[in-house]
């Protein structure tokens, strides 16, 4: 069986759902959405907490409500979607091979493609915690799925390593379900998650947060019996003599997310080690013409609103590409990190659209900062800069039209 | 005179303003550090009665998944969160459930309702041609 489409979106989380809707709204006639699982919505289905869509819809939705709203909107369009459909390969000329129980192995020919596969959690093996290998070590997202969808409590006495938002949210969730969360341990000297989550997920429930601490050993044969935590020095090395044994039956890991780019690699799409996602322009086009990428497959965002926004941009441009309204135009210029910039996205500017730029600083500055885009005569101001909070900037196409060389971004004190 | 100082981190938006409040004999005399009016409102509310939205799950039978996500339809007093959770302990629903279906009215005397936050279909009623057969919990 062969399928043809104008725009094909891979993945139906917040980025993919938004992209499919906006590809349709931008005039693409034949939009196809592919989802590996048995229902649309991706990770939103298990994120039962509120705080979704504050900017996009001016509403305080939970993850499932946010997904249902997009799914409902999608139902009013003629966008086709295939569930239980796993994309096996994507070629540089945009040929997709997929498989599903209904259709078996099949091929899709699409004028343009939007990548929206999201990200994965970093597992225990990526941070090399010494010790035994008992049951009871889970990533925070897996525990979230167990509790919120399958109805299992992963343990009763819980230690959480890493203070990313999912870890903080799970600290509250497990407490509400009757488990005892003994503490959240963070290797950095600042928390990974948003401040509001520290307050409403930890402080509200008297759960302690230990900064500059890490787990240095897991103990237990069949099941986790406890973990050893240690203080770390400024180079993040454990300090000898600071070890403390914490009895527990479960260790949750909230130690970061990695964009899921197996398909992108196969399509010959250039990735960057800074975001671990594709190199893209402001249109979200990757280095392979007609393949766009958006959401957490591009770079791990803090807010779903940003994920959705990149989905809209990618979809609008994928629809233009599919419709033949895509001129080569001026050669793109690079956007490069300067002083105190750890991450930026997108990495190129191609003079086709306004630039929505996402940057993350390297070191926190709790004072008013200026963000400069040299050589542009522009200084954007913010009240502070924190590595755990992405900064979003908008620069109009008009201001960028005369740029010839690379644009260097810096974040410094005002 | 009885002077008291309190500190709050605002949770209204992701900025998280650090707000200092000074009270004299229980009356607010100054609020500093808030970047917007909502922060001031938040602090006044926290002083009077801290309010939170509660989100949790309840078991559902006859559906694709074991749990149905639910929320309070408005903020409830923080001190009553455990009471709300307790009141949900014995609830078991049967699919289908519609989003925003009221599951408990006036939960724990808070005047808030517990509502479903998604649609949950009954598993054997699958006439939607777009949907493929169910395979429960693989891996």
């Amino acid at each position: 069986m062969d399928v043809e489409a104008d725009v094909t979106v891979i993945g139906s989380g917040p980025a993919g759902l938004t992209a499919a809707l906006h590809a349709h709204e931008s005039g693409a006639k034949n939009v196809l959405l592919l989802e590996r699982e048995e229902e649309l919505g991706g990770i939103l289905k298990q994120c039962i907490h509120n705080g979704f869509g504050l900017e996009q819809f001016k509403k305080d939705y939970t993850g499932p409500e946010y997904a249902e709203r997009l799914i409902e909107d999608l139902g009013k369009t003629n966008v086709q979607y295939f569930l239980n459909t796993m994309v096996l390969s994507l070629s540089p000329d945009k040929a997709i091979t997929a498989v599903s129980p209904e259709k078996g192995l099949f091929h899709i020919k699409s004028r343009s493609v939007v990548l929206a596969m999201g990200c994965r959690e970093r597992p225990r093996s990526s941070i090399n915690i010494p010790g035994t290998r008992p049951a009871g070590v889970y990533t925070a997202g897996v525990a979230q799925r167990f509790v919120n969808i399958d109805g299992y409590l992963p343990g009763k006495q819980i230690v959480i390593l890493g203070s990313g938002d999912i870890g903080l949210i799970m600290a509250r969730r497990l407490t509400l379900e009757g488990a005892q969360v003994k503490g959240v341990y963070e290797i950095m000297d600042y928390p990974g998650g948003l401040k509001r989550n520290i307050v409403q997920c930890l402080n509200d429930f008297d759960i302690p947060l230990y900064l500059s601490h890490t787990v240095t050993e897991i103990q237990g044969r069949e099941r986790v019996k406890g973990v050893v935590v240690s203080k770390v020095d400024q180079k993040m090395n454990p300090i000898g003599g600071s070890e403390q044994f914490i009895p527990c039956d479960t260790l949750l890991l909230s130690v970061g997310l990695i964009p899921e780019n197996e398909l992108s690699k196969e399509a010959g799409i250039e990735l960057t080690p800074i975001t671990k996602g594709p190199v893209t322009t402001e249109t979200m086009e990757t280095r392979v013409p007609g393949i766009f990428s958006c959401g957490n497959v591009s770079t791990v965002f803090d807010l779903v609103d940003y994920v959705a926004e990149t989905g809209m941009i990618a979809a609008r441009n994928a629809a233009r590409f599919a419709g033949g309204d895509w001129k080569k135009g001026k050669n793109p210029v690079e956007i490069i990190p300067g002083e105190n910039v750890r991450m930026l996205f997108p990495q190129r500017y191609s003079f086709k659209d306004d630039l929505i730029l996402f940057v993350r600083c390297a070191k926190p500055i709790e004072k008013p900062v200026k963000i400069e885009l040299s050589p542009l005569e522009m200084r954007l101001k913010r009240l502070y800069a924190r590595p755990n909070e992405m900064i979003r900037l908008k620069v109009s196409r008009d201001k960028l039209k005369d740029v010839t060389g690379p644009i260097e971004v810096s974040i410094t004190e005002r | 005179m009885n002077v008291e100082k309190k500190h709050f981190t605002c949770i209204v938006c992701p900025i998280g303003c650090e707000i200092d409040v000074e009270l004299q004999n229980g009356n607010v005399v100054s609020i500093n550090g808030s970047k917007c009016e909502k922060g001031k409102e938040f602090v006044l509310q926290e002083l009077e009665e801290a309010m939170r939205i509660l989100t949790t799950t309840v078991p559902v039978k006859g559906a694709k998944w074991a749990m149905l996500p639910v929320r309070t339809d408005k903020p409830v007093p923080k001190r009553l969160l455990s009471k709300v959770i307790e009141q949900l302990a014995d609830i078991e629903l049967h699919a289908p459930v519609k989003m925003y279906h009221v599951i408990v009215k006036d939960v724990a005397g808070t005047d808030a309702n517990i509502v479903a936050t998604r649609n949950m279909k009954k598993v054997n009623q699958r006439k939607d041609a777009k949907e493929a057969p169910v395979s429960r919990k693989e891996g």
Side-chain angles (χ1 to χ4, degrees):
Chain A
M1 182 190 142
D2 279 335
V3 180
E4 283 191 13
D6 293 326
V7 179
T8 301
V9 180
I10 305 175
S12 78
L17 280 173
T18 309
L21 269 170
H22 281 263
H24 170 80
E25 277 174 23
S26 305
K29 286 193 184 64
N30 188 355
V31 180
L32 179 62
L33 175 60
L34 305 176
E35 169 55 50
R36 178 171 64 183
E37 292 195 16
E38 59 192 84
E39 56 182 11
L40 300 174
I43 208 72
L44 290 167
K45 298 280 183 184
Q46 70 181 56
C47 297
I48 64 158
H49 52 279
N50 57 313
F52 290 82
L54 291 170
E55 287 183 35
Q56 192 184 356
F57 298 120
K58 307 287 172 216
K59 293 261 193 180
D60 189 11
Y61 286 133
T62 61
E65 287 170 278
Y66 180 94
E68 293 279 3
R69 171 159 180 168
L70 293 173
I71 292 166
E72 204 175 289
D73 289 348
L74 197 76
K76 295 173 193 154
T77 69
N78 65 351
V79 171
Q80 240 198 322
Y81 59 88
F82 296 162
L83 301 174
N84 295 305
T85 300
M86 174 87 181
V87 173
L88 299 176
S89 74
L90 169 67
S91 76
D93 57 355
K94 301 179 293 276
I96 295 168
T97 307
V99 67
S100 81
E102 265 183 350
K103 299 183 183 66
L105 189 81
F106 66 105
H107 303 281
I108 300 161
K109 267 176 68 181
S110 191
R111 289 173 190 270
S112 64
V113 173
V114 177
L115 307 176
M117 293 90 76
C119 57
R120 279 178 183 274
E121 295 183 280
R122 290 178 71 202
R124 173 180 177 180
S125 54
S126 73
I127 49 167
N128 294 323
I129 310 171
T132 51
R133 307 181 69 81
V137 182
Y138 303 102
T139 56
V142 164
Q144 188 180 44
R145 153 115 205 173
F146 284 169
V147 176
N148 292 346
I149 291 182
D150 299 320
Y152 298 120
L153 196 61
K156 290 187 176 133
Q157 304 235 302
I158 294 158
V159 166
I160 300 178
L161 175 62
S163 60
D165 285 310
I166 315 170
L168 301 177
I169 299 262
M170 282 314 292
R172 172 177 64 182
R173 187 75 196 104
L174 290 163
T175 305
L176 285 172
E177 288 299 330
Q180 189 201 353
V181 178
K182 299 206 153 179
V184 176
Y185 294 85
E186 169 61 55
I187 194 166
M188 306 299 282
D189 55 7
Y190 56 87
L194 298 173
K195 255 190 190 179
R196 60 199 308 230
N197 284 335
I198 306 283
V199 174
Q200 56 186 351
C201 298
L202 301 187
N203 302 357
D204 273 5
F205 297 92
D206 299 319
I207 300 165
L209 169 65
Y210 302 94
L211 299 173
S212 302
H213 275 75
T214 193
V215 170
T216 44
E217 192 189 342
I218 297 172
Q219 293 187 8
R221 274 193 72 81
E222 301 296 320
R223 176 83 197 186
V224 173
K225 285 233 161 31
V227 296
V228 176
V229 296
S230 303
K231 281 187 190 162
V232 299
D233 61 22
Q234 287 187 330
K235 286 178 181 165
M236 289 194 278
N237 291 317
I239 300 169
S242 70
E243 299 87 353
Q244 199 192 342
F245 179 74
I246 314 283
C248 63
D249 60 18
T250 304
L251 174 67
L252 292 195
L253 305 175
S254 179
V255 293
L257 301 164
I258 306 169
E260 168 74 72
N261 275 294
E262 295 305 314
L263 283 176
S264 324
K265 281 181 208 159
E266 209 174 336
I269 292 169
E270 185 193 340
L271 305 181
T272 153
I274 296 177
T275 60
K276 298 187 173 64
V279 172
T280 65
T281 68
E282 83 287 1
T283 65
M284 306 288 145
E285 191 179 30
T286 66
R287 296 299 291 260
V288 176
I291 302 184
F292 298 77
S293 101
C294 59
N296 287 347
V297 78
S298 292
T299 182
V300 177
F301 290 91
D302 303 340
L303 300 176
V304 77
D305 305 87
Y306 295 163
V307 166
E309 185 173 27
T310 60
M312 281 178 215
I313 300 169
R316 184 168 73 224
N317 289 297
R320 273 172 71 188
F321 189 97
D325 173 24
W326 201 257
K327 295 186 192 83
K328 183 129 196 311
K330 264 164 88 176
N331 272 341
V333 292
E334 304 286 320
I335 308 169
I336 53 175
E339 191 180 340
N340 199 26
V341 172
R342 186 172 83 193
M343 186 285 301
L344 60 76
F345 172 83
Q347 301 83 3
R348 306 171 85 214
Y349 184 70
S350 67
F351 304 94
K352 286 191 172 72
D353 214 332
D354 291 339
L355 172 64
I356 309 287
L357 184 67
F358 296 93
V359 288
R360 221 183 259 290
C361 64
K363 292 209 169 82
I365 304 176
E366 289 293 338
K367 286 176 193 160
V369 295
K370 59 177 191 288
I371 302 154
E372 287 170 297
L373 280 75
S374 134
L376 294 182
E377 296 282 317
M378 273 187 85
R379 283 175 74 184
L380 296 140
K381 293 172 183 172
R382 288 291 186 275
L383 294 165
Y384 60 85
R386 298 175 192 143
N388 54 347
E389 290 177 32
M390 232 175 200
I391 301 169
R392 175 194 176 278
L393 307 166
K394 184 175 176 176
V395 189
S396 74
R397 195 175 158 176
D398 204 44
K399 287 202 173 115
L400 290 157
K401 66 178 192 305
D402 299 323
V403 174
T404 50
I407 302 165
E408 189 180 293
V409 185
S410 65
I411 305 171
T412 50
E413 207 180 307
R414 250 192 270 155
Chain B
M1 208 179 334
N2 178 14
V3 178
E4 204 184 345
K5 282 180 181 176
K6 286 193 174 177
H7 182 82
F8 294 90
T9 304
C10 182
I11 58 170
V12 175
C13 85
I15 295 174
C17 290
E18 298 294 342
I19 307 176
D20 290 302
V21 187
E22 214 177 275
L23 299 137
Q24 274 178 16
N25 300 324
N27 297 319
V28 177
V29 288
S30 71
I31 302 178
N32 290 312
S34 163
K35 293 181 178 83
C36 79
E37 283 304 310
K38 281 185 184 169
K40 288 180 187 158
E41 286 167 28
F42 167 76
V43 165
L44 294 173
Q45 184 64 58
E46 286 287 291
L47 287 167
E48 193 192 317
E49 171 84 77
M51 303 291 280
R52 301 286 185 266
I53 295 273
L54 176 77
T55 64
T56 182
T57 55
V58 293
V60 56
K61 282 257 189 286
K64 197 174 346 190
W65 313 116
M67 306 306 283
L68 175 79
V70 299
R71 70 181 289 173
T72 56
D73 59 2
K74 58 182 169 188
V76 296
K78 190 171 90 176
R79 66 188 160 82
L80 294 178
L81 289 179
S82 55
K83 278 235 164 70
V84 175
I85 287 280
E86 270 170 39
Q87 208 183 322
L88 296 178
D90 299 325
I91 287 179
E92 188 166 270
L93 298 167
H94 291 269
V97 182
K98 278 266 180 215
M99 183 158 71
Y100 299 134
H101 170 71
V102 176
I103 294 157
V104 183
K105 268 194 179 161
D106 185 20
V107 67
T110 59
D111 195 38
N113 300 321
I114 295 287
V115 299
T117 53
R118 64 164 287 175
N119 295 309
M120 192 69 93
K121 282 185 201 162
K122 200 171 162 181
V123 267
N124 297 325
Q125 266 185 352
R126 301 175 71 83
K127 288 169 192 161
D128 186 351
K130 280 178 174 175
E131 219 150 352
V134 184
S135 59
R136 211 182 126 75
K137 277 191 239 169
E138 289 167 41

